Amino acid sequence: MDYKLDHGSSVPLHVQAEEFIRELIRQDEYRKGKLLPNEVELSRKLSVSRNTLRQAIGKLVTEGLLVRKKGYGTTVASQNVMSNARNWKSFTQEMSSQGIKVQNFELHISRKPAPEEALVFFNIKAPANLLCLERLRGKPGLPFVYFISYFNSSVPMTVEDDMSLPLYDILEKKYGIFVKTSKEQVFARGANAVMAEKLGISEGDPILVRKRFVLDRNDVPIEYNIGYYRADSFTYTIEFTND
């Protein structure tokens, strides 16, 4: 590519640099993970200051097109997985609708003391050990979400169930439980050390936390689920209609 900007143009240099980088990262080599040239090299080739270059790169990081990691470099962000608040689906269904094959990187099932919020949702008055399913999931080669699910004590699943199968298929086909409603909360926070290690990011990097309160056709609480998503790999969309 031609590494020349027009210093006589009325278009600010940081905007020209931003457009140049947009073109650069469309190349296959960068989309496949190649590091962008470092700031010193790139600012020299473009004949702009490092501050100007940082302004351009910062804009693309904010848009989610680039990922910048201290001590490593800048790369093109992985294509985000989409989820729509209007059409609720299971994780496997969400991924399948986008042509993404789901991979389980970790799977743990046990009985654990349930958090207070889960007990309130299930209307359980005293502390209780509930069936807990934990899964590190994503697309091949990229784990991007860690799920923790607790189940109402009325749900007859056990630690002997094959949790490598789609969860809601197990509930429907084996136990006749049909989930219908998911009430959700979505918020951002910094990753703690444990979650950062699981998701392959740095401690303090932003993650998206998604809580699900799942009920069946009779509005019986079934599942309390928390998903911790890599912010650079997941987009949550919301659609509103003005009647």
Side-chain angles (χ1 to χ4, degrees):
M1 288 184 65
D2 186 0
Y3 280 75
K4 291 183 179 179
L5 303 184
D6 185 355
H7 287 250
S9 171
S10 60
V11 179
L13 288 174
H14 71 86
V15 175
Q16 292 187 55
E18 177 191 324
E19 291 306 314
F20 170 83
I21 297 170
R22 287 183 191 276
E23 289 296 325
L24 187 68
I25 64 179
R26 290 191 181 103
Q27 297 182 18
D28 284 345
E29 59 187 317
Y30 293 108
R31 298 188 69 83
K32 291 178 180 178
K34 180 180 177 180
L35 285 172
L36 265 66
N38 63 49
E39 288 185 1
V40 173
E41 178 185 356
L42 198 50
S43 61
R44 178 177 55 79
K45 287 184 175 181
L46 295 177
S47 298
V48 296
S49 70
R50 290 180 67 181
N51 285 338
T52 297
L53 184 63
R54 284 172 183 161
Q55 188 174 356
I57 292 175
K59 176 73 160 38
L60 300 179
V61 170
T62 300
E63 290 182 14
L65 295 177
L66 293 178
V67 177
R68 185 166 47 191
K69 291 190 176 183
K70 187 176 180 180
Y72 179 69
T74 303
T75 59
V76 176
S78 301
Q79 183 177 3
N80 281 15
V81 173
M82 305 290 289
S83 180
N84 193 313
R86 187 182 184 198
N87 299 306
W88 172 58
K89 301 176 180 178
S90 72
F91 178 79
T92 302
Q93 289 173 324
E94 286 180 337
M95 298 303 99
S96 296
S97 68
Q98 298 175 60
I100 298 172
K101 181 180 179 181
V102 174
Q103 181 174 344
N104 285 324
F105 296 86
E106 291 184 23
L107 193 157
H108 312 283
I109 183 167
S110 60
R111 289 195 172 272
K112 288 187 174 181
E116 181 65 24
E117 190 171 43
L119 296 174
V120 171
F121 175 55
F122 296 138
N123 196 28
I124 297 174
K125 304 300 184 183
N129 288 337
L130 299 180
L131 190 69
C132 177
L133 174 63
E134 300 177 69
R135 291 181 288 182
L136 178 61
R137 313 191 80 189
K139 50 190 177 182
L142 179 64
F144 63 81
V145 58
Y146 193 78
F147 287 120
I148 303 175
S149 291
Y150 289 88
F151 298 93
N152 198 334
S153 55
S154 64
V155 176
M157 287 194 308
T158 72
V159 295
E160 303 302 322
D161 280 301
D162 182 4
M163 291 301 178
S164 65
L165 300 173
L167 172 61
Y168 298 145
D169 281 358
I170 296 173
L171 289 174
E172 291 182 13
K173 295 175 181 179
K174 187 171 183 179
Y175 297 109
I177 297 173
F178 294 84
V179 298
K180 179 184 178 183
T181 305
S182 176
K183 299 179 181 180
E184 302 195 6
Q185 298 174 5
V186 181
F187 56 93
R189 78 176 199 195
N192 60 28
V194 172
M195 207 53 60
E197 182 178 2
K198 289 185 179 296
L199 297 177
I201 56 179
S202 299
E203 186 175 357
D205 279 357
I207 58 174
L208 190 69
V209 182
R210 182 185 188 187
K211 290 185 180 181
R212 280 180 164 180
F213 302 81
V214 180
L215 302 96
D216 70 5
R217 290 175 174 175
N218 299 313
D219 291 330
V220 174
I222 298 298
E223 177 194 12
Y224 169 84
N225 171 276
I226 305 179
Y228 301 92
Y229 294 81
R230 284 181 57 137
D232 63 357
S233 300
F234 185 79
T235 298
Y236 191 74
T237 64
I238 301 175
E239 181 177 338
F240 297 101
T241 302
N242 187 357
D243 294 328

